[in-house]
Amino acid sequence: MDAIEDSSTLWTLLSRPGWEIKPNPVKHLLKIKAPDYQEALILYTNYRKFLATWAASLNCTCALIGIQGMRGAAFKILAATPASQQKLYEDLIFVSLQKSVRFKCDGLAGSDGYARRRHRYFEDNIYESPGFYIAETFLYPELRPIVDEVLSNPDKKLALTRMSDNFQLIVSASAARAMSSDSQDVVRRRTTDFWHARDYQIFIQKFKQDGSTGFEITYQATTNLPKTNPLAAWAQFTTSYRFFEIDIGGRREVYRLGEGKDITPISRSKVIS
């Protein structure tokens, strides 16, 4: 659960020495520099929802939290989704979400009172139900079984990735925690930004050989940050993959559903060179 966000304490934090705020309206970015990684992590953990709203109010696509003296960003927070767009996402997955919630209301089906109680029960319990993180992307009907599978197996570390650009689109809460992430930042990650290059080449070879049946692979990758960040933590992953090919406007798109089996932290010195 996110820490309680208080804007007054946020301004107190950002006014301390070593902090910089640099909105970039040209590139639609809200850039914030923290004195060190620990301060950046505190900002990200406690104020990401507020920063998402702030970025949206400045017409920025995201807020980037960097660290003084380092290039790039340690954390990325997507701008808050407009209500109209969010409604489309909610409508798309509502039926699947319903399946994960057990309604206990009494009354006659179809009656106004029953419908209101049923809807209120759903709203009250949806946030207590296991869910998943989803990227700002279009979900095709053919992917509905995958959405159902993720919701039906909250304890499994599941992640759906588009093969054409290696972006993670759907990530279960269990998988997000395993990757030291618990926000929208975990989706839209690109595999090649985290995986060791040699292991990714092995993965592609196995996909060409065994993509039709699926396979399991052990590889090295960073968890919380891209591999180019010296602060990134490394681990050895064992993941099983299944592949799905669907038709999109006359072209074929391949997706992979990975299920994490084992994650073992390793030191940077033990990473394959």
Side-chain angles (χ1 to χ4, degrees):
M1 181 179 294
D2 293 337
I4 297 176
E5 299 181 352
D6 183 342
S7 60
S8 63
T9 59
L10 172 61
W11 306 132
T12 301
L13 176 68
L14 296 179
S15 63
R16 292 176 181 173
W19 287 90
E20 290 183 59
I21 305 173
K22 297 180 177 180
N24 189 327
V26 176
K27 293 186 177 181
H28 302 287
L29 298 175
L30 171 60
K31 294 185 176 181
I32 301 175
K33 284 282 189 178
D36 53 47
Y37 178 76
Q38 189 61 36
E39 293 287 324
L41 180 61
I42 291 173
L43 179 66
Y44 173 77
T45 302
N46 292 352
Y47 300 101
R48 57 190 166 206
K49 288 184 179 178
F50 185 91
L51 291 173
T53 303
W54 187 16
S57 69
L58 295 175
N59 197 29
C60 293
T61 58
C62 65
L64 300 177
I65 305 174
I67 301 170
Q68 296 289 0
M70 291 183 58
R71 298 182 62 183
F75 301 100
K76 176 181 178 180
I77 302 171
L78 297 178
T81 305
S84 58
Q85 189 177 0
Q86 183 64 34
K87 182 63 166 59
L88 293 177
Y89 298 153
E90 291 172 356
D91 289 345
L92 181 65
I93 64 175
F94 182 81
V95 176
S96 294
L97 288 171
Q98 271 189 315
K99 291 186 176 181
S100 71
V101 180
R102 190 172 191 174
F103 294 101
K104 301 177 181 178
C105 299
D106 296 322
L108 297 175
S111 69
D112 290 342
Y114 172 75
R116 283 194 297 272
R117 290 194 301 274
R118 186 173 186 267
H119 180 71
R120 185 169 60 252
Y121 182 85
F122 177 73
E123 286 190 334
D124 290 345
N125 287 273
I126 190 64
Y127 298 107
E128 299 175 6
S129 303
F132 58 84
Y133 300 99
I134 179 172
E136 294 185 21
T137 187
F138 186 83
L139 289 181
Y140 296 91
E142 291 85 352
L143 297 177
R144 167 74 176 278
I146 296 176
V147 174
D148 288 341
E149 181 172 352
V150 174
L151 285 169
S152 301
N153 297 277
D155 295 329
K156 290 186 177 181
K157 301 177 181 64
L158 298 171
L160 177 70
T161 305
R162 188 168 53 213
M163 290 288 290
S164 61
D165 54 15
N166 280 311
F167 272 126
Q168 289 185 163
L169 304 179
I170 297 175
V171 180
S172 69
S174 296
R177 286 192 294 270
M179 290 183 282
S180 303
S181 301
D182 57 356
S183 76
Q184 66 267 35
D185 187 56
V186 76
V187 290
R188 303 295 290 181
R189 284 186 176 189
R190 201 185 285 268
T191 300
T192 46
D193 291 338
F194 292 82
W195 280 43
H196 191 286
R198 193 177 79 171
D199 289 341
Y200 179 69
Q201 290 303 317
I202 294 173
F203 168 81
I204 293 299
Q205 293 172 7
K206 291 184 69 68
F207 168 66
K208 292 177 179 179
Q209 296 170 358
D210 307 314
S212 59
T213 57
F215 55 84
E216 185 172 286
I217 184 174
T218 297
Y219 58 93
Q220 293 181 338
T222 55
T223 57
N224 56 336
L225 297 169
K227 60 188 178 184
T228 55
N229 193 319
L231 298 174
W234 284 83
Q236 179 172 283
F237 295 77
T238 298
T239 305
S240 63
Y241 286 100
R242 287 177 285 147
F243 299 86
F244 306 85
E245 187 175 2
I246 65 175
D247 181 77
I248 302 174
R251 63 181 176 84
R252 306 298 290 176
E253 184 74 77
V254 179
Y255 296 82
R256 65 176 180 265
L257 182 66
E259 180 182 349
K261 300 293 186 179
D262 181 69
I263 301 177
T264 304
I266 57 176
S267 64
R268 180 177 289 271
S269 62
K270 293 184 178 181
V271 176
I272 299 173
S273 59

